[in-house]
Amino acid sequence: MDTKNLKMLNDLGDANDKSVMLVKVLRKWINHVLDKPLIVISLDFILQDEEGNKVHASIPKPLINSFDNKIKESSCYKISKTSFVAYADRYKYVKNSHRVNFSKTTDVKLCDDFVGEINAFNITPIDTLLSGTIAADTCIDVIGIIQDNGKFRDIIKKNGIPTKLLEIDLYGSNGNKISVTLWNSYATQILSYIE
């Protein structure tokens, strides 16, 4: 794979089909239709380059089987032959004006020469959340202390679909707290850690 065309993730606006990204996969998940967990839309990723820039990447449903086993969380890759589109999603997982889309010609090679520092989180203090200064369309990372098991419930949504719900209080270092509601697999995952 050609590394002379190496692009940092904050320079995707002038990238082309010969551009190569050297990245680490921070997060990988299946994207489903809202309230229809059996209908898959895409396989999505958060990628980070050696400078700490991040981008949201997607593999459309018809190509998932071609790439799913090739790409693992916490591994590093050289990726080329992708397309770069405006990141117009309502809620953005990362601060980047572009999004990376895979195609059937996308080339993915495992590599071990990633030298950047990994900073997967952008922690927002609980006081900042309470101040109301965070934009509603922004995804954030929060850290705090859970002092009890919270309230776990199985509920039926208005549309008749069963779901799981966990309500917890998260306490910051100065004692301030926020109430957090987790749904479905996130609820069961956190509950397994705190029980």
Side-chain angles (χ1 to χ4, degrees), residues 10-193:
N10 61 341
D11 296 327
L12 295 179
D14 60 357
N16 58 49
D17 61 354
K18 293 182 178 154
S19 297
V20 177
M21 298 176 292
L22 176 61
V23 295
K24 183 162 187 166
V25 178
L26 300 180
R27 184 82 169 104
K28 174 182 171 182
W29 71 96
I30 295 286
N31 190 11
H32 300 274
V33 172
L34 184 64
D35 290 333
K36 296 183 180 176
L38 299 178
I39 302 176
V40 173
I41 299 172
S42 58
L43 179 62
D44 289 47
F45 307 90
I46 301 299
L47 306 175
Q48 180 179 313
D49 67 20
E50 293 179 313
E51 292 179 348
N53 306 302
K54 296 176 183 139
V55 71
H56 181 177
S58 287
I59 298 172
K61 180 181 176 180
L63 300 177
I64 290 175
N65 289 338
S66 300
F67 292 100
D68 189 22
N69 291 329
K70 290 182 183 179
I71 302 174
K72 307 286 184 209
E73 274 189 12
S74 301
S75 293
C76 300
Y77 300 93
K78 289 180 182 168
I79 302 174
S80 63
K81 300 178 188 166
T82 59
S83 62
F84 308 96
V85 297
Y87 193 17
D89 294 18
R90 182 175 176 194
Y91 297 102
K92 295 180 171 73
Y93 295 106
V94 295
K95 291 180 182 177
N96 195 317
S97 59
H98 290 84
R99 180 179 178 145
V100 174
N101 287 335
F102 282 52
S103 71
K104 64 181 178 181
T105 61
T106 297
D107 191 21
V108 177
K109 301 281 188 210
L110 188 64
C111 70
D112 58 3
D113 52 350
F114 188 94
V115 295
E117 184 176 318
I118 297 303
N119 180 13
F121 300 104
N122 185 12
I123 304 297
T124 300
I126 289 176
D127 286 345
T128 303
L129 285 175
L130 293 171
S131 73
T133 58
I134 305 290
D137 64 349
T138 305
C139 291
I140 58 168
D141 299 308
V142 180
I143 193 167
I145 298 169
I146 301 170
Q147 293 185 340
D148 60 43
N149 289 356
K151 278 201 241 177
F152 182 79
R153 298 181 283 162
D154 287 303
I155 63 170
I156 305 293
K157 290 182 160 184
K158 289 180 184 178
N159 59 8
I161 295 178
T163 189
K164 297 181 182 315
L165 165 71
L166 177 63
E167 295 171 317
I168 56 172
D169 289 329
L170 194 61
Y171 292 85
S173 58
N174 63 359
N176 284 343
K177 76 172 181 175
I178 57 170
S179 296
V180 178
T181 302
L182 301 166
W183 299 87
N184 295 319
S185 63
Y186 296 109
T188 55
Q189 181 182 11
I190 294 297
L191 188 63
S192 72
Y193 296 140

